Amino acid sequence: MKQFVYVLVGISLMLCASCAKNVPETDPIDFTMIQHETEELDEVLTEPWPELQGEVALSEEERQALEMVSEIEVERTEYACREIQGQFIYLKRQLPDTIEKWVERAELYLPYAQKVFRERGMPEELAYLPFIESGFNPKALSRAGAAGVWQFMPYTGKKYGLAVDWWQDERRDPYKATHAAADYLSYLYDMFGDWTLAVASYNAGEGKIGRALEALGATTYFELHARNNELRGRTRVKEETLDYVPRFLAMVKIAKNLELLGFAPLDMNRAPELMALQ
């Protein structure tokens, strides 16, 4: 009888040892991601901004930044310029502390994102999109359930190759999520042939933007923006999306002209070396 007990104990120990060996190993980046640490989005990213009233006098530095030619082609109409300028002025004058916080976070991830878009032949300015998505916070979780620097919803994250389950949430991995975002934005550009429409679709979904364009017979983002009030019901684009593209374009102008506008420059040397992901 004792021999039988010893055999059972021995088998149990062997099984436990085997289980321990089969526990999946993760690299340091994945390990931090599976902790599911979350933080609320910065309040300025969740609340509507007030509309600026009347004409605004620009400083020479602000004028120079606004006149910067973007990699992303934007129609140079008076309407488009006014919408971008409104977002620019609010960001720069009303949210300077927020911009400084975003820039400090961006220093860790922006260089890698720029490299990804550059190597794929896409505008590097797309790497600035997380400024207005999450403020470059990899722990950010929206009320709707979007997570990470690029604010992927679970379905879209999975569709573009990110693991989202009880064990890990790769939407919070700023490096893997950047590749997923590049895939998604590339798909949207192939669909619309225009980066401003691709960016709008990143926020609202390609179906929403496609239906709105078709209903209006419009071909550009700012034409859709200007005529959105002609749409009815669920075809109408939400104010959040109407603000989203001008806000992104304004943030690009600020981020690429930080010193000119009185902010500390981006310290691109803070980004970690990530040879395994290159």
Side-chain angles (χ1 to χ4, degrees):
M1 184 65 178
K2 288 183 180 178
Q3 288 180 335
F4 180 68
V5 173
Y6 292 152
V7 170
L8 286 178
V9 171
I11 291 173
S12 298
L13 290 173
M14 289 173 64
L15 288 173
C16 290
S18 176
C19 291
K21 289 179 182 177
N22 289 328
V23 172
E25 295 182 359
T26 57
D27 60 37
I29 292 174
D30 285 335
F31 181 77
T32 61
M33 290 305 123
I34 65 174
Q35 303 309 304
H36 296 282
E37 295 179 11
T38 62
E39 295 176 2
E40 291 185 4
L41 278 173
D42 295 336
E43 188 175 353
V44 297
L45 294 171
T46 63
E47 302 297 332
W49 293 359
E51 292 188 14
L52 296 177
Q53 302 296 322
E55 293 293 322
V56 177
L58 298 172
S59 68
E60 181 58 31
E61 291 77 15
E62 290 170 338
R63 193 178 306 281
Q64 287 182 40
L66 280 165
E67 291 176 353
M68 179 200 77
V69 177
S70 175
E71 286 181 85
I72 296 173
E73 188 174 345
V74 180
E75 53 219 85
R76 301 287 294 176
T77 63
E78 182 179 346
Y79 182 89
C81 292
R82 184 173 67 248
E83 291 298 318
I84 296 169
Q85 178 178 306
Q87 297 288 333
F88 176 96
I89 291 299
Y90 190 79
L91 274 165
K92 191 260 181 180
R93 296 187 184 181
Q94 302 299 319
L95 303 175
D97 293 342
T98 298
I99 287 177
E100 288 177 357
K101 178 173 65 176
W102 290 353
V103 167
E104 185 176 358
R105 289 179 187 152
E107 290 171 342
L108 298 175
Y109 313 116
L110 181 60
Y112 184 81
Q114 288 176 316
K115 177 178 181 294
V116 169
F117 287 106
R118 180 172 62 250
E119 290 181 348
R120 296 186 57 154
M122 301 167 71
E124 283 187 42
E125 289 175 351
L126 294 171
Y128 293 82
L129 197 56
F131 274 115
I132 64 162
E133 278 288 340
S134 65
F136 271 98
N137 183 0
K139 298 179 183 178
L141 181 67
S142 76
R143 295 169 188 167
V149 164
W150 289 93
Q151 285 293 282
F152 274 105
M153 293 294 288
Y155 172 80
T156 311
K158 291 179 181 179
K159 182 177 179 180
Y160 287 92
L162 300 176
V164 183
D165 54 40
W166 68 273
W167 173 247
Q168 60 182 333
D169 187 347
E170 290 182 339
R171 296 177 299 164
R172 295 192 179 93
D173 184 321
Y175 311 105
K176 291 180 180 179
T178 293
H179 289 277
D183 288 341
Y184 188 25
L185 285 164
S186 178
Y187 164 78
L188 293 171
Y189 180 76
D190 288 344
M191 176 177 289
F192 293 104
D194 179 280
W195 285 116
T196 54
L197 289 172
V199 170
S201 300
Y202 189 90
N203 176 259
E206 57 268 35
K208 182 75 171 182
I209 297 301
R211 288 189 294 271
L213 290 171
E214 183 178 6
L216 291 170
T219 58
T220 69
Y221 169 77
F222 279 104
E223 181 183 2
L224 166 60
H225 192 295
R227 297 177 56 198
N228 187 56
N229 61 345
E230 298 175 27
L231 298 172
R232 294 292 178 267
R234 297 182 66 179
T235 308
R236 181 176 289 190
V237 176
K238 293 181 180 179
E239 287 296 322
E240 173 191 334
T241 303
L242 296 182
D243 290 340
Y244 186 81
V245 176
R247 189 169 299 174
F248 163 63
L249 296 170
M251 189 63 219
V252 169
K253 291 177 183 295
I254 292 172
K256 296 183 79 169
N257 292 279
L258 288 169
E259 289 185 270
L260 176 67
L261 296 171
F263 295 99
L266 278 158
D267 181 1
M268 303 299 251
N269 294 319
R270 288 187 63 216
E273 292 291 333
L274 299 165
M275 299 304 295
L277 291 174
Q278 308 234 348

